[in-house]
Amino acid sequence: MKYNQFAFVKTPYEQQVQELLTCRFLPADYESLSLSQLWAALVKNMLPEALTSQAKKAKLAEFAVDEATTLTDFLQTKPATISAQNFYNVALQLLGYHVHYDYELARPLELMQANALPYLDHDIADAKTLISNVYRLLNTRAKNGQLLIDVLAGKGYFTQFWGQGKFMFFNGKSLPVFDTSKVIREVVYVESDLDTDQDGQSDLLQVSIFRPAESTDQVKVPALYTASPYFGGIIANEKTNHNVDENLTDATTWTNPKYEAKPVVPAHQPGPNTSTATETAVHKSSYALNEYLLARGFACVFAGAIGTRGSDGLRVTGAPEETESAKEIIEWLHGDRIAYTDRSRQTEIKADWCNHQIGMTGRSYLGTLQIAIATTGVKGLKTVVSEAAISSWYDYYREHGLVIAPEACQGEDLDKLAETCQSNLWDAGSAIKIRPKYEAEQSELLTKEDRATGQYSDFWEARNYRHHTDGIKCSWISVHGLNDWNVKPKNVYKLWQQIKHLPVEHHLFLHQGPHYNINNLISIDFTDLMNLWFCHELLGIKNHAYGQWATVLIQDNLHPDNWHQEDDWSNDLGQTHQLYFHTNNELTETKETNQPIASFTDQGGAVFHNAHISEADWQMQFLAGKSEWLDQQLRFVTPALTKAKRIVGRPTVHLRMAASRPVGQVSVALVELGSRQRLTPTPKFFRDQLQEFGFRFGTQALQEFVPAKATPVKLITKAHMNLQNYADMKRPSKLEPGEFYELEFKLQPTYYEIPAGMQLGLVIYSTDQGMTKRPLETEDYQLDLNHSWLTWSEE
């Protein structure tokens, strides 16, 4: 497995020396030392667990330079040169690799090559070469995935700098020189301009802050803000999710529900005075990347905003009020809004520890609110790292006129998510005041989200952030899983098509996971990249962050340690192809005419319920073409591919269809068919390889996607559509039973390589047990093969 490294910054030798001297790896008298003395000093300085000079010297005997010689014995010979084999044998041992288990002492460079670790294949005969090699070694990823310098930090190396009250940098990245044993954990209450609970007072918003102790009186630090409605806890649904075992509704009954703004009560203006916090934060940071960066001087700020525990107000999933309340935290951090030490609103407190440079982090809902806030152009927000984020709430809970569930969340909707996040109900005193208004809000959300028709409306338009991207002023990083069927890839794809045209620096990472983080993958040094990025954006460090890696990095679906470097992600990466459907179930580039009508019968959820299997098992069986499901689908399959094909962007299907009822839904799935080993759906954890955030400051395990047991099928992408939206995706039309209609719609975007020998298949069906409603009535569907096709882009 390759330990790819994108974050290493090429550094002039003079700067390497200065950084090594500043960090005390390089002895001040290095110029007077012989080559062997210098190597001994450098290695000993990389053994922080040994606390005395004698202990360090003794530990040199634990290293071997070849099959017969320890490092101690080798140094006693006072060598004039150090061979590449000698140097990299010691280097690999420092990096955490084990002789005879991971590599052989006779062949260290083989492992360096296999793991894509940087090395120089020549002997070291002078101090300059040795110093440069050690500088590169400290910036090399160890077996646990971290840079060696971070491994040493986890052993306590940088505790010698604790308390000095200033940032230190190595290769453009911040070092953990802040005393993590004295982190300040405090709570403040920001005063909003909103009154969502309509009590006549502006809502107070609880904010939890974790910051270096040194930020009190020694150095101002940037803030990494995570807007998390889950931070105060989540409420287990008092009721189950919505029932999806129901017939489809005639969408022409749609009435276009409107969004209605909540009352506004302007907050007080900030005054000249400040105070110290009087409440301790009891919740813990919920994001590993934040903890890692906290040890490196970045304050971590968490707030759930309106309706969450410790805050006033009501949850209104995705509405402008949610955006406004989350944005107001940044306004306080930037010095533009008032906050108090407690709920009495008597004592003002300022973020005087903050340098007014704010970045945002977080995944899922936490990434979603980054998009929402960024569209406001709020002052102080310099950059966002938005992972697995929703860019339009319609695209999360709906698709092409249908109610569509996120994966593993069948029956969830806006109201249920608001219920989950209304954590201020946990406090009994708050619940007395809030519950009646909360129940009224729940009723309004249920009505206006319109689960009957699934149509786009003004209510959903108010929750579409993509229509406000012209307000974005900060730099941008999006991260998304190509197999994320919770927040489906269309959310990031459609956002990216707008972000890439804005006058801001922008990057995109696409990985092979579902709804997952990537900061601890073997195949990419994401945490190091973010350290580099935030140092540039929030601390003004000139570290070449903007040009350090490609605009788009995409993880390969066949070889997970291969990250494709692209300039963009769109259909324009490839050439357009069309495939046509045939009566013999073939999918080819040849178009035929005078083919008979094909048909299938949808049975809603009846057969699925009788099978007593999970939604995931159903999908695997259904897409693989098991016999019990064949009468509910049409399948079209190419011959085995003679060479690999890579599908990029959004495939489109054009279907001429008829339904036996005045309502109907169609689903399509593009699949790879053929038995082979495919990557694990989620990364495998290597729990023996722990990454330390700092010194005794929390850990996470290394992980990566790896080949798993053979499977017969792999979902590439899919989509769903309401037949009543044949004329307009935003307006339903009447559907006459038995009459054919032209449907054209896009599938979710992808970047997927099908290897030679496999087959490409398109499955056309109606009920998707994990996502659509499951009608109680059967319905017949017909497909005109002569006027139906698949269009896709191949790179």
Side-chain angles (χ1 to χ4, degrees), residues 40-41 43-60:
V43 174
K44 285 191 286 187
N45 284 343
M46 289 187 278
L47 302 173
E49 66 273 28
L51 302 180
T52 66
S53 177
Q54 178 178 311
K56 290 178 184 292
K57 183 177 180 180
K59 287 190 76 68
L60 295 182

Side-chain angles (χ1 to χ4, degrees), residues 153-156 159 162 180-181 185 692-699:
K155 295 179 179 180
T159 58
W162 280 6
T180 50
S181 70
R185 304 172 188 274
E692 300 275 354
F693 301 143
F695 182 56
R696 299 173 183 171
F697 196 57
T699 63

Side-chain angles (χ1 to χ4, degrees), residues 558-570:
L558 300 177
H559 307 286
D561 57 356
N562 181 22
W563 285 78
H564 300 275
Q565 302 185 54
E566 301 279 12
D567 294 327
D568 193 13
W569 180 40
S570 71

Side-chain angles (χ1 to χ4, degrees), residues 185 208 210 228 230-232 281-287 290-291 294 300 302:
R185 304 172 188 274
S208 294
F210 309 95
S228 174
Y230 306 132
F231 185 69
V282 294
H283 297 298
K284 295 181 179 180
S285 172
S286 60
Y287 190 44
N290 286 18
E291 290 289 278
L294 174 56
C300 298
F302 290 84

Side-chain angles (χ1 to χ4, degrees), residues 9 200 515 759:
V9 180
H515 206 54
Q759 296 174 284

